[in-house]
Amino acid sequence: MQLTRRDAILMGVGATFMTALPLHVSAAGEDAIAAFTGGADVGQGDIKLTAPEIAENGNTVPIEVSSETATEIMVLALGNPTPAVATFKYGPLSASRTASTRIRLAGTQDVVAIAKLEDGSFVQATSTVKVTIGGCGG
Amino acid sequence: MADGVKPRVKVPKTASAGEKIVIKTLISHKMESGQRKDGDGNLIPRSIINRFTCDFNGENVVDVVLEPAISTNPYLEFEAVVPESGEFKFTWYDDDGSVYEETKEIAVE
Amino acid sequence: MKRLTATLTIGLVAATLATADPVDDTLVLNGETEIVTRTEAPEAVADVFDEVISGWHFRGDETREMQADDFDNPGMIFVEQAEDVWNTAEGSVGKSCADCHGASEEMAGVRPVYPKWNEEAGEVRTLEMQINDCRETRMGAEKWKYSGGDMINMTALLASVSRGMPVNVAIDGPAQSTWEQGEELYYTRFGQFELSCANCHEDNNGNMIRADHLSQGQINGFPVYRLKNTKLNSAHGRFKGCVRDTRAETFAPGSPEFIALELYVGSRGNGLGVEGPSVRN
């Protein structure tokens, strides 16, 4: 994708906002995280979230989560009316702690994956997905 | 049972013991989020697949909680290991109480 | 004030135009079948384009990938549903599609030549019209709604068995007058925005209209599974949406206007591989 000067300015403005404001988590998002972690601290580490930088349509956005040692991974879309997306629990016959699915995003926002690791600790990864509004009823 | 619900599963027919195999699943379902309104402005009630499980010979591979933010026609991809020949069982749980099941045989060579 | 608004709107549209080349990529279906998605311009558009390009090249990475695998392509759910219908007897004659035609794969080669002149009926027929003719006269069954679910699923099945075969609609002979009518429509400006098909898809393909990457408006990928409405969309449904977007009273799916337009637009993509059901945004 080629950027115009205008796009670049807009993205610059967006980036300024992003750095100026901490990750905005709604009350519902906080509740969902607390229910999953039991209030434990959430660090960085063994969790990867792959999502497109720009989604062509917010109705169907492919994402993938992966970890080496997660027992459970919860995915949240913090800008959705209800932030919960899915929770994956891995059983004894899972070959890897990965999963792919397709999700709905109500607009440009942060998608978060929080993993509960085998040692009981929690880690998270965040990815900002820009949701485009097309010109032709897209 | 919601109309036109049809599960699809892709599993290799054979594998070697302990090999990592990719499983893809998809079920045709509207996944009505409970956020939309009809033409008269009334909220359309939520109606989704809220849970999916995959087991092999009675042992769990993955157990997933699905929320309304999962797209129409829910798609899930994950990886499994099979210690011996046997049968995968896939189960989708609908809000309306319906349960959709699909099974696939796999031979370990 | 009205004029000012109109001027502003045009200004905004102009300001949003940005060029983005179609993506350089190759569509290989299920890791096996390579589909022709760019080819030398056919006769109908030889003096307009050097090359005709499928809408697939104008979509993002994730969307293109989704179409390349039959399991990942959600449009294939509807192909499977139509396959069940194909094999089910219906109507007073008690016959299924399969009773006359055999397996659905036997229909390979049908999609690429439609719309097509029907000598007996003395008209150009779309695939939908031919399906309904089969239902009425050979099965004794009710006609399907032109753009209804059953119909669109069946056209997806018929397209799917022809995937990779080059679109090859005939534009000469008895079909010529219908084709010319379609051409006329293609270049006619409609609606408050006074836009013709050509304004977007001929003059501005490759440009961005807001966040949307304008394609050549080829229909070799129809029916299309759109991520937007998560269902299959027919070519006539898309035509209707396009005309509506110009703020015009639109024609109906199955109308003589859209039948002529389908023949004409189809011919602008002669040589491109059939892709239906394709995946678009």
Side-chain angles (χ1 to χ4, degrees):
Chain A
M1 186 185 154
Q2 220 167 308
L3 291 176
T4 59
R5 185 166 160 270
R6 189 183 129 115
D7 286 338
I9 292 169
L10 283 178
M11 281 171 64
V13 172
T16 313
F17 268 104
M18 284 302 301
T19 42
L21 297 169
L23 187 66
H24 175 74
V25 182
S26 63
E30 276 175 7
D31 288 351
I33 294 171
F36 184 67
T37 61
D41 284 345
V42 180
Q44 305 291 313
D46 177 24
I47 175 70
K48 195 174 151 204
L49 169 66
T50 310
E53 192 187 334
I54 299 173
E56 282 201 297
N57 194 287
N59 244 344
T60 315
V61 183
I63 62 151
E64 185 185 330
V65 290
S66 68
S67 165
E68 295 296 320
T69 62
T71 56
E72 281 184 51
I73 301 175
M74 179 174 71
V75 179
L76 298 168
L78 297 176
N80 276 2
T82 53
V85 174
T87 304
F88 303 93
K89 278 183 209 162
Y90 297 99
L93 291 184
S94 60
S96 65
R97 314 300 162 87
T98 64
S100 301
T101 187
R102 296 168 185 165
I103 70 171
R104 293 168 171 156
L105 297 177
T108 295
Q109 58 177 286
D110 289 320
V111 178
V112 179
I114 301 178
K116 180 182 185 182
L117 305 182
E118 279 164 359
D119 64 8
S121 67
F122 292 89
V123 290
Q124 72 170 20
T126 305
S127 187
T128 305
V129 181
K130 296 188 191 78
V131 175
T132 62
I133 311 276
C136 303
Chain B
M1 182 184 286
D3 283 343
V5 176
K6 191 171 178 175
R8 297 174 81 203
V9 179
K10 189 175 180 183
V11 177
K13 286 193 175 62
T14 60
S16 48
E19 182 189 342
K20 187 187 276 191
I21 58 171
V22 175
I23 295 177
K24 295 180 178 186
T25 73
L26 193 141
I27 189 163
S28 53
H29 196 283
K30 279 181 78 75
M31 294 294 279
E32 190 60 60
S33 67
Q35 301 285 339
R36 299 197 312 155
K37 287 178 178 166
D38 64 17
D40 299 326
N42 302 314
L43 212 58
I44 305 171
R46 169 185 142 152
S47 173
I48 69 166
I49 300 278
N50 57 51
R51 186 180 172 212
F52 164 82
T53 58
C54 169
D55 298 290
F56 179 76
N57 287 354
E59 268 207 283
N60 184 251
V61 178
V62 70
D63 188 338
V64 188
V65 177
L66 307 177
E67 305 285 354
I70 295 292
S71 302
T72 306
N73 306 325
Y75 172 89
L76 290 166
E77 184 181 328
F78 49 89
E79 295 177 328
V81 276
V82 284
E84 71 269 326
S85 294
E87 188 180 78
F88 277 106
K89 186 177 170 196
F90 304 91
T91 316
W92 292 261
Y93 299 85
D94 196 309
D95 271 353
D96 70 7
S98 309
V99 174
Y100 316 104
E101 288 179 347
E102 179 80 348
T103 54
K104 286 277 176 193
E105 300 279 340
I106 185 166
V108 166
E109 294 171 337
Chain C
M1 188 61 208
K2 232 178 209 166
R3 175 170 294 174
L4 179 64
T5 318
T7 317
L8 278 173
T9 310
I10 291 164
L12 276 175
V13 170
T16 337
L17 287 179
T19 306
D21 288 333
V23 183
D24 189 15
D25 195 0
T26 306
L27 175 55
V28 181
L29 202 59
N30 302 315
E32 291 167 354
T33 318
E34 188 171 328
I35 311 261
V36 175
T37 52
R38 331 175 62 128
T39 190
E40 197 188 331
E43 190 191 334
V45 281
D47 47 359
V48 182
F49 297 135
D50 295 331
E51 190 186 32
V52 285
I53 306 168
S54 159
W56 184 77
H57 286 280
F58 294 80
R59 300 277 58 96
D61 296 351
E62 292 82 13
T63 312
R64 293 199 315 282
E65 267 170 40
M66 213 181 274
Q67 190 186 321
D69 181 285
D70 278 1
F71 197 90
D72 295 347
N73 180 349
M76 293 305 287
I77 301 169
F78 305 100
V79 167
E80 283 182 10
Q81 287 177 1
E83 183 69 42
D84 293 343
V85 174
W86 181 265
N87 293 305
T88 306
E90 224 188 306
S92 56
V93 183
K95 278 189 172 177
S96 69
C97 308
D99 285 329
C100 288
H101 295 289
S104 57
E105 291 82 9
E106 299 288 323
M107 302 303 276
V110 173
R111 171 72 265 180
V113 297
Y114 271 84
K116 185 184 170 191
W117 176 259
N118 183 304
E119 189 61 46
E120 219 170 289
E123 63 183 4
V124 169
R125 278 192 177 168
T126 60
L127 201 50
E128 284 88 343
M129 291 161 80
Q130 195 56 49
I131 290 168
N132 264 343
D133 184 70
C134 262
R135 289 184 60 80
E136 264 196 317
T137 61
R138 292 163 84 168
M139 296 166 73
E142 291 269 317
K143 282 212 278 192
W144 280 327
K145 187 167 171 265
Y146 195 89
S147 267
D150 290 324
M151 179 64 89
I152 206 163
N153 290 359
M154 189 55 73
T155 62
L157 172 65
L158 294 178
S160 73
V161 298
S162 288
R163 280 181 297 173
M165 298 173 85
V167 175
N168 183 23
V169 296
I171 63 177
D172 52 359
Q176 194 179 338
S177 64
T178 308
W179 182 83
E180 282 167 359
Q181 195 197 342
E183 183 184 32
E184 173 82 27
L185 280 163
Y186 192 88
Y187 288 101
T188 303
R189 289 174 181 264
F190 287 100
Q192 291 176 318
F193 286 155
E194 298 187 8
L195 289 170
S196 71
C197 307
N199 290 144
C200 284
H201 298 291
E202 192 169 290
D203 307 339
N204 280 301
N205 71 78
N207 287 333
M208 303 296 290
I209 184 165
R210 294 177 67 197
D212 214 351
H213 195 185
L214 280 173
S215 72
Q216 288 185 350
Q218 298 290 354
I219 55 171
N220 59 307
F222 280 85
V224 166
Y225 183 90
R226 290 191 69 185
L227 303 180
K228 176 201 166 175
N229 58 14
T230 57
K231 62 178 186 140
L232 289 176
N233 297 259
S234 67
H236 287 204
R238 179 67 265 193
F239 293 163
K240 185 179 157 188
C242 277
V243 179
R244 181 206 57 215
D245 289 348
T246 71
R247 295 196 176 172
E249 285 282 344
T250 182
F251 303 104
S255 63
E257 288 85 0
F258 279 170
I259 292 164
L261 189 60
E262 184 184 339
L263 175 65
Y264 175 70
V265 177
S267 78
R268 291 173 68 100
N270 269 352
L272 290 174
V274 170
E275 285 177 41
S278 65
V279 182
R280 303 286 188 261
N281 63 324

